[in-house]
Amino acid sequence: LARARRPVFIAGLGVRTRPEAARLCALCERRGAPALVTYKGKGAVPDAHPSFAGVFTHAARDEPFVRSADLIVGVGLDPVELLPRPWTYPAPFVACGPWPVAGAHVPVTGQATGDLVALLIRVETGGFAPYRAAEAVARAAGPSARVTVDAGAHMFPVTALWPVGAPRDFLISNGLATMGHAVPAAIGAALLDPTRRVVALTGDGGLFVCLGELATLARERLPVTVVVFADRSLSLIRIKQERRGLATDRVALGGTDWPALARGFGLFGARATGADELERRIDEAAATGGPALVEAAVDPAAYGDTLTAVRG
């Protein structure tokens, strides 16, 4: 590290406490070095920190940024967090922290958030773009909220744009990429710390997987807002089918009246079709003090281009 002129730090799930994150940030500041974070590592270097360089996934889009480094330092990095692609960077790789990486098969990303927003604007359609929904929820929820994220197409704009200030404030099932993760994770987080509101971001497919957990939220009266990115489809599977030249079969989910379903379980229920309306609904949900569900009726047309913008 002392000899490196252009080091890059990559923080992973092993950076779990605020003191660990503070030490990493201080090191980046002393060296004037950029730091990337994995999905699970979001908050290890806060999005607002001057050293924050973006999210690390080992996507093609990250390659020019990382290839310019003469040293890559993985801090608390586990290979399960990364896309399973060969590691081809010529710079030395050093692993440290509670989750050292064995061997030389590790992956990367680095995309500044501001630049990514510009890319997403270019792929916006005439409908309610999912990245607009993600921004609206983040604005309304504010920095005090903890967020849980499900697997699915909505994950890409959320992981890129949701600002995180501390470790373990962004909970995601990366690696296994488990559908149905967000709501149970939100329940656990709210039980652990009921003084903070939790926002669970899921797709309609992911919520179908764990629908019974809405009864748990109602019974325990937990401060959780479930936001459903409703597009009536398993959009990520559809995108993958299209890119492989396959028929887009068995991915349509049909329409569900999510607010009515939420009220049937005893939750506050509402629907939004635009960013301003969504912010108001998130505020109304928080004002209840208890569990709530807000449907964001998003346009899935931009998901394919969003995936390209995020991963290249």
Side-chain angles (χ1 to χ4, degrees), residues 2 28 37 39 52 67 69 71 85 99 108 168 183 185 191 201 205 224-225 256 273 282 290 302 305 312:
C28 291
V37 298
Y39 290 154
F52 178 76
R67 194 165 289 279
L71 177 67
R85 297 175 177 174
W99 291 80
V108 169
R168 296 188 291 185
V183 175
L191 288 171
L201 304 178
V224 172
T225 299
T256 300
T273 58
I282 297 298
D305 288 336

Side-chain angles (χ1 to χ4, degrees), residues 222-237:
L222 295 173
V224 172
T225 299
V226 179
V227 180
V228 187
F229 286 65
D231 58 18
R232 304 184 176 197
S233 173
L234 297 175
S235 291
L236 185 56
I237 303 303

Side-chain angles (χ1 to χ4, degrees), residues 18 142-147 164-170 186 189-199 222-225:
R18 289 176 183 263
S144 63
R146 179 173 276 135
V147 64
V164 183
R168 296 188 291 185
D169 278 0
F170 189 93
L191 288 171
L192 180 66
D193 184 2
T195 67
R196 297 181 62 186
R197 191 153 195 90
V198 184
V199 178
L222 295 173
V224 172
T225 299

Side-chain angles (χ1 to χ4, degrees), residues 204 207-208 211 214 228 230 232 253-265 269-271 293-295:
D204 31 17
L207 187 52
F208 276 132
L211 198 56
L214 296 182
V228 187
R232 304 184 176 197
L253 297 175
T256 300
D257 189 340
W258 291 110
L261 191 150
R263 290 190 289 270
F265 276 101
R271 184 174 188 265
L293 183 148
V294 178
E295 175 186 350

Side-chain angles (χ1 to χ4, degrees), residues 8 18 33 39 88 91 111 126-127 139 143 149 153 156 166 181 233 245 261 269 277-278 282 284 305:
V8 170
R18 289 176 183 263
Y39 290 154
T88 61
Q111 175 57 49
R139 282 194 300 268
V149 185
F156 297 106
H181 162 83
S233 173
L261 191 150
E277 184 184 19
L278 182 55
I282 297 298
E284 292 168 1
D305 288 336

Side-chain angles (χ1 to χ4, degrees), residues 62-108:
D62 317 321
E63 188 162 335
F65 182 90
V66 180
R67 194 165 289 279
S68 67
D70 62 356
L71 177 67
I72 303 167
V73 183
V75 184
L77 185 65
D78 190 307
V80 74
E81 303 182 76
L82 310 172
L83 293 173
R85 297 175 177 174
W87 179 264
T88 61
Y89 296 100
F93 179 87
V94 177
C96 60
W99 291 80
V101 177
H105 184 273
V106 192
V108 169

